[in-house]
Amino acid sequence: MSWEPICALEQLTPERGRAALLPDGTQVALFRTRDDDLFAVENLDPFSNAYVMSRGILGDRAGTPTVASPMYKQVFDLATGECKDAERVRLRTFEVSCRDGVVAVRVPEAVPV
Amino acid sequence: MKRIVVIGDGMVGRHFTTTLREREPGWSVTVLAEENRPAYDRVRLSAYFDGATAADLSLGELDDGVDLRLGEAAVRVDRERHVVHSALSEYPYDALVIATGSYPFVPPIPGTDSPGCFVYRTLDDLEAIRDHAAGVDRGVVVGGGLLGLEAANALRLLGLDTTVVEFAPHLMPAQLDEAGGAVLRGHLEQLGIRIACGTAVAAVTTDAAERQSATPGGGNTEPPRAASGGLRLTTSDGTHLDTGLVVFAAGVRPRDAIGRDSGLAMAERGGITVDDTCLTSDPDVYAIGECAAVDGRCFGLVAPGYAMAEVVVDRLCGGDARFAGADTSTKLKLLGVDVASFGAPDGPLSTNYLDPTEGVYAKLALSDDARTLLGGILVGDTEPYGLLRASVGGPVPARLADLLARAVPDAELPDSAQICSCHAVTKSAITSAIAEGACDVASLGACTKAGSGCGSCVPLLKQLLADSGVSQNKAVCEHFAYSRAELFDIVRCAGITTFSDLIAQHGTGRGCEVCKPVVASILASLDNGHILDGEQAALQDTNDHFLANLQRNGTYSVVPRVPAGEITPEKLITIGAIARDYGLYTKITGAQRIDMFGARVEQLPAIWRRLVDAGFESGHAYGKALRTVKSCVGTTWCRYGVQDSVTLAIDLELRYRGLRSPHKLKSAVSGCARECAEARGKDFGIIATEAGWNLYVGGNGGFTPRHAQLLLSDLDTESLVRYIDRFLMFYVRTADRLQRTAAWLENLDGGLDYLREVIVDDRLGICAELDAAMDRHVASYRDEWSAVLEDPDKLSRFVSFVNAPETPDPSIRFDTSRGQPLPVMLERPRVRAS
């Protein structure tokens, strides 16, 4: 596993997301909450099959940070990726960190082909 | 194996054939059809003039096992030999089914065979009418019943100045009484159709015939009737009607000649006599549909014909079905007017309801003790039809006025009614979820998915919750214990300008996808700058966040404002050039604009740049905001227009553009009562009168279509605009989340009258404030696209990837179809939304 630097923290608007492209082509949705917590989940919305999760609205369900898909509005737990509106649906999650104002996502090592 | 011969491939004949094929696929079936086309939907015939093609009306293909002989009429039945003859061949049968239907009645007067005279029965008739109509400008329909009014609609759709002549004293004499006929007449006259009731036609003459008879004596000094198209109808009282085309649609007669010629027993008033198994006087010959007479009576409707077809199939297969008589109740839309009659509309007692302003008439026929509903008539509003028809023979379910005022909520929705069409959730699924403890819209959504799609059924869900006795929690979501209207007042009165302040002082938690857009809309309605300024940007739904409409593949569509649908050739070319350069799919929208699809987020600013440079601005197609004010061409071009609808529509669209509201807002202006702009299907619609403008409010298309209701009549332009200002502001302030004007009006205590008191009589003393709020809105309007183009910070969000701003999203790909790009979906979604 390695850390892939993505962008400066100030490029992320509080309470909003941005999409990022990992070296292996995976699309990640990065979110910054208003308390400056950072989350990363895959950008693919499993209900519409479009890469749009980064454009969802942030919020909480009973205190748990969430994002709602902008397409059909299903709500996902940002920390676990679990869908709150459908059983057994889960977004892949990524570790994310911020050091010296740089946001980085932890990605699996490239597997030699 | 039995050999079945069917004479006729009309709707009833076809229903017989397909039902029989399903039940007994092994038998040999031959169908002799006089027309050259296979069965089509005769009930919807006039849709042919409203854009439907012959293929749209087709009832489909028969399977290969049926020998369908198109254009081969049966001419004779040899009952002894069990053979049907056509001009080409003969067909032996074990059982014969006659389904020849009926023919149009043409009154026995001179001249009905003149060129330009038609009947209204087959697609060929309609084609002939259409061809002839191209050369004339006036048409007359003889007959003011169901068929006649269908024909009148057809002529109207063909652009003819149309007159209906009816022999009876009022329209639809078979279904309606005099008062109902009068209300219907009012509706039709509003559409510009002339009606002459109590009038018989005595003769049809042509110019040529008239000249011949006039010339020898030389006494006829009338000028030639060039414009009319050459036909003259003379009525029994001696008056004349000059026209280019006449359609006889004065009823039908059973087409029973083949039965008569082959010696079958006939009913006195026409029709082949059958018993309640549809058997004729010959034990191997059946007759069904309009050519058959049960107890001496023919049925001119399709439903009894279908029932007869099913009886005969069952009998042939050894069953014991019987034709139990027919319910001749009908509910239909004639020229946009709802008309229904059910049961026996005459009885010893009756209760009536008449509202001439709204054009609504209703009558219930009751038993002499007033306890049993016998039947009734509804004109202009047929909402209670289902409930009333089901109540015939029992007690009246509610007061007529209450039924019409919808004061009996939801009573007529059956359990099987689909409430949420996004997720196909029925009423019974919702009521059982409520019984199991769901107590608000959110929990209903969690267990049934209802309301979680487009959200348009949310008001119905609330209604069902209320009907089930669940106390209404008006809270928008778990973060605010207030309704949208209450939040609006809090924000306005406390002068709050940010979501964080609002939730810190009046809510809990962080907010969510429900309350954030609500508050964003409230802040925008109160003119708090650009919707992407500061913290507001984080509240917006993706459409508002990117000022474009999210499409299913993650791209966006762009709709520039085209006020009132008026656009210069230069601007059309600009749109075409942009769409071509960016590979966008273009489509004309239902609101007289052009939508460009398939733009990636990083392309949006460049597309706007070119649009803005060419003088365009955002059309707010993405927002819960005013969309368009549609218009007809009005007096500018139209021969019939009475006011300048285009100028008014442009003025209104520019005045209210950018106004954020609880739901999208649509409007239209029609330049005359013909209503080409469909203003009554809008949140606020304006229809020109000779004296000024009529203002209608509370209409919409969409999930539950509603006709707007007349709020004020004959207004001058200045008053019209002032009342619309107040109507809109009052709605924006007091409506629920995603509540359209129709539902808002319905829930407004006191309804339309109360609305008038508030915005005309200023009963609440708030008019000055509503006016000032609208003035502020108008003064502070700025194009949302231009504002982004001028702001590098806002612009920086318009990239697909924050770490690769130059890289377009590789998942987005297009195919070409019909000369345009269409999205390629990568694969089926991993999970289904329902």
PDB file of all heavy atoms in Angstrom, chain B residues 604-616:
ATOM      1  N   LEU B 604     -18.631  22.683 -19.473  1.00  0.00           N
ATOM      2  CA  LEU B 604     -19.741  23.608 -19.233  1.00  0.00           C
ATOM      3  C   LEU B 604     -19.338  25.081 -19.354  1.00  0.00           C
ATOM      4  O   LEU B 604     -20.000  25.842 -20.067  1.00  0.00           O
ATOM      5  CB  LEU B 604     -20.383  23.318 -17.864  1.00  0.00           C
ATOM      6  CG  LEU B 604     -21.158  22.002 -17.782  1.00  0.00           C
ATOM      7  CD1 LEU B 604     -21.568  21.696 -16.340  1.00  0.00           C
ATOM      8  CD2 LEU B 604     -22.399  22.053 -18.667  1.00  0.00           C
ATOM      9  N   PRO B 605     -18.229  25.520 -18.671  1.00  0.00           N
ATOM     10  CA  PRO B 605     -17.912  26.944 -18.760  1.00  0.00           C
ATOM     11  C   PRO B 605     -17.655  27.423 -20.196  1.00  0.00           C
ATOM     12  O   PRO B 605     -18.115  28.500 -20.586  1.00  0.00           O
ATOM     13  CB  PRO B 605     -16.651  27.079 -17.896  1.00  0.00           C
ATOM     14  CG  PRO B 605     -16.730  25.940 -16.936  1.00  0.00           C
ATOM     15  CD  PRO B 605     -17.351  24.824 -17.720  1.00  0.00           C
ATOM     16  N   ALA B 606     -16.975  26.584 -20.994  1.00  0.00           N
ATOM     17  CA  ALA B 606     -16.683  27.003 -22.368  1.00  0.00           C
ATOM     18  C   ALA B 606     -17.976  27.111 -23.174  1.00  0.00           C
ATOM     19  O   ALA B 606     -18.137  28.022 -24.008  1.00  0.00           O
ATOM     20  CB  ALA B 606     -15.722  26.013 -23.017  1.00  0.00           C
ATOM     21  N   ILE B 607     -18.889  26.193 -22.928  1.00  0.00           N
ATOM     22  CA  ILE B 607     -20.173  26.246 -23.636  1.00  0.00           C
ATOM     23  C   ILE B 607     -20.941  27.505 -23.236  1.00  0.00           C
ATOM     24  O   ILE B 607     -21.468  28.236 -24.072  1.00  0.00           O
ATOM     25  CB  ILE B 607     -20.997  24.973 -23.328  1.00  0.00           C
ATOM     26  CG1 ILE B 607     -20.322  23.765 -23.966  1.00  0.00           C
ATOM     27  CG2 ILE B 607     -22.432  25.107 -23.798  1.00  0.00           C
ATOM     28  CD1 ILE B 607     -20.887  22.422 -23.526  1.00  0.00           C
ATOM     29  N   TRP B 608     -20.954  27.790 -21.921  1.00  0.00           N
ATOM     30  CA  TRP B 608     -21.646  29.008 -21.460  1.00  0.00           C
ATOM     31  C   TRP B 608     -21.004  30.249 -22.042  1.00  0.00           C
ATOM     32  O   TRP B 608     -21.683  31.206 -22.395  1.00  0.00           O
ATOM     33  CB  TRP B 608     -21.600  29.094 -19.921  1.00  0.00           C
ATOM     34  CG  TRP B 608     -22.318  27.987 -19.229  1.00  0.00           C
ATOM     35  CD1 TRP B 608     -23.311  27.211 -19.739  1.00  0.00           C
ATOM     36  CD2 TRP B 608     -22.087  27.538 -17.894  1.00  0.00           C
ATOM     37  NE1 TRP B 608     -23.714  26.294 -18.796  1.00  0.00           N
ATOM     38  CE2 TRP B 608     -22.988  26.471 -17.660  1.00  0.00           C
ATOM     39  CE3 TRP B 608     -21.231  27.926 -16.871  1.00  0.00           C
ATOM     40  CZ2 TRP B 608     -23.039  25.803 -16.439  1.00  0.00           C
ATOM     41  CZ3 TRP B 608     -21.290  27.262 -15.669  1.00  0.00           C
ATOM     42  CH2 TRP B 608     -22.180  26.195 -15.441  1.00  0.00           C
ATOM     43  N   ARG B 609     -19.660  30.246 -22.099  1.00  0.00           N
ATOM     44  CA  ARG B 609     -18.943  31.421 -22.628  1.00  0.00           C
ATOM     45  C   ARG B 609     -19.499  31.769 -24.003  1.00  0.00           C
ATOM     46  O   ARG B 609     -19.855  32.907 -24.283  1.00  0.00           O
ATOM     47  CB  ARG B 609     -17.440  31.079 -22.705  1.00  0.00           C
ATOM     48  CG  ARG B 609     -16.534  32.124 -23.277  1.00  0.00           C
ATOM     49  CD  ARG B 609     -16.123  33.150 -22.234  1.00  0.00           C
ATOM     50  NE  ARG B 609     -17.044  34.278 -22.216  1.00  0.00           N
ATOM     51  CZ  ARG B 609     -17.162  35.119 -21.203  1.00  0.00           C
ATOM     52  NH1 ARG B 609     -16.450  34.951 -20.094  1.00  0.00           N
ATOM     53  NH2 ARG B 609     -18.015  36.111 -21.255  1.00  0.00           N
ATOM     54  N   ARG B 610     -19.593  30.751 -24.844  1.00  0.00           N
ATOM     55  CA  ARG B 610     -20.070  31.027 -26.211  1.00  0.00           C
ATOM     56  C   ARG B 610     -21.537  31.434 -26.213  1.00  0.00           C
ATOM     57  O   ARG B 610     -21.951  32.308 -26.981  1.00  0.00           O
ATOM     58  CB  ARG B 610     -19.840  29.813 -27.099  1.00  0.00           C
ATOM     59  CG  ARG B 610     -18.363  29.694 -27.465  1.00  0.00           C
ATOM     60  CD  ARG B 610     -18.064  28.524 -28.350  1.00  0.00           C
ATOM     61  NE  ARG B 610     -18.802  28.536 -29.618  1.00  0.00           N
ATOM     62  CZ  ARG B 610     -18.665  27.581 -30.536  1.00  0.00           C
ATOM     63  NH1 ARG B 610     -17.826  26.579 -30.325  1.00  0.00           N
ATOM     64  NH2 ARG B 610     -19.353  27.637 -31.649  1.00  0.00           N
ATOM     65  N   LEU B 611     -22.320  30.818 -25.342  1.00  0.00           N
ATOM     66  CA  LEU B 611     -23.739  31.187 -25.281  1.00  0.00           C
ATOM     67  C   LEU B 611     -23.900  32.620 -24.788  1.00  0.00           C
ATOM     68  O   LEU B 611     -24.647  33.416 -25.361  1.00  0.00           O
ATOM     69  CB  LEU B 611     -24.498  30.219 -24.356  1.00  0.00           C
ATOM     70  CG  LEU B 611     -24.750  28.812 -24.915  1.00  0.00           C
ATOM     71  CD1 LEU B 611     -25.264  27.881 -23.823  1.00  0.00           C
ATOM     72  CD2 LEU B 611     -25.756  28.867 -26.071  1.00  0.00           C
ATOM     73  N   VAL B 612     -23.169  32.946 -23.712  1.00  0.00           N
ATOM     74  CA  VAL B 612     -23.281  34.285 -23.130  1.00  0.00           C
ATOM     75  C   VAL B 612     -22.821  35.338 -24.137  1.00  0.00           C
ATOM     76  O   VAL B 612     -23.459  36.379 -24.317  1.00  0.00           O
ATOM     77  CB  VAL B 612     -22.482  34.360 -21.805  1.00  0.00           C
ATOM     78  CG1 VAL B 612     -22.345  35.805 -21.332  1.00  0.00           C
ATOM     79  CG2 VAL B 612     -23.166  33.506 -20.727  1.00  0.00           C
ATOM     80  N   ASP B 613     -21.718  35.048 -24.841  1.00  0.00           N
ATOM     81  CA  ASP B 613     -21.230  35.995 -25.853  1.00  0.00           C
ATOM     82  C   ASP B 613     -22.262  36.240 -26.941  1.00  0.00           C
ATOM     83  O   ASP B 613     -22.315  37.311 -27.542  1.00  0.00           O
ATOM     84  CB  ASP B 613     -19.930  35.476 -26.478  1.00  0.00           C
ATOM     85  CG  ASP B 613     -18.757  35.600 -25.516  1.00  0.00           C
ATOM     86  OD1 ASP B 613     -18.915  36.303 -24.496  1.00  0.00           O
ATOM     87  OD2 ASP B 613     -17.699  34.982 -25.767  1.00  0.00           O
ATOM     88  N   ALA B 614     -23.093  35.219 -27.210  1.00  0.00           N
ATOM     89  CA  ALA B 614     -24.101  35.378 -28.262  1.00  0.00           C
ATOM     90  C   ALA B 614     -25.393  35.984 -27.711  1.00  0.00           C
ATOM     91  O   ALA B 614     -26.385  36.086 -28.432  1.00  0.00           O
ATOM     92  CB  ALA B 614     -24.399  34.026 -28.905  1.00  0.00           C
ATOM     93  N   GLY B 615     -25.376  36.372 -26.422  1.00  0.00           N
ATOM     94  CA  GLY B 615     -26.548  37.036 -25.857  1.00  0.00           C
ATOM     95  C   GLY B 615     -27.502  36.119 -25.121  1.00  0.00           C
ATOM     96  O   GLY B 615     -28.601  36.531 -24.752  1.00  0.00           O
ATOM     97  N   PHE B 616     -27.077  34.884 -24.891  1.00  0.00           N
ATOM     98  CA  PHE B 616     -27.928  33.975 -24.126  1.00  0.00           C
ATOM     99  C   PHE B 616     -27.644  34.102 -22.637  1.00  0.00           C
ATOM    100  O   PHE B 616     -26.627  34.658 -22.219  1.00  0.00           O
ATOM    101  CB  PHE B 616     -27.651  32.520 -24.533  1.00  0.00           C
ATOM    102  CG  PHE B 616     -28.231  32.126 -25.852  1.00  0.00           C
ATOM    103  CD1 PHE B 616     -27.421  31.988 -26.967  1.00  0.00           C
ATOM    104  CD2 PHE B 616     -29.587  31.875 -25.974  1.00  0.00           C
ATOM    105  CE1 PHE B 616     -27.950  31.604 -28.190  1.00  0.00           C
ATOM    106  CE2 PHE B 616     -30.124  31.479 -27.200  1.00  0.00           C
ATOM    107  CZ  PHE B 616     -29.304  31.353 -28.305  1.00  0.00           C
TER     108      PHE B 616
END
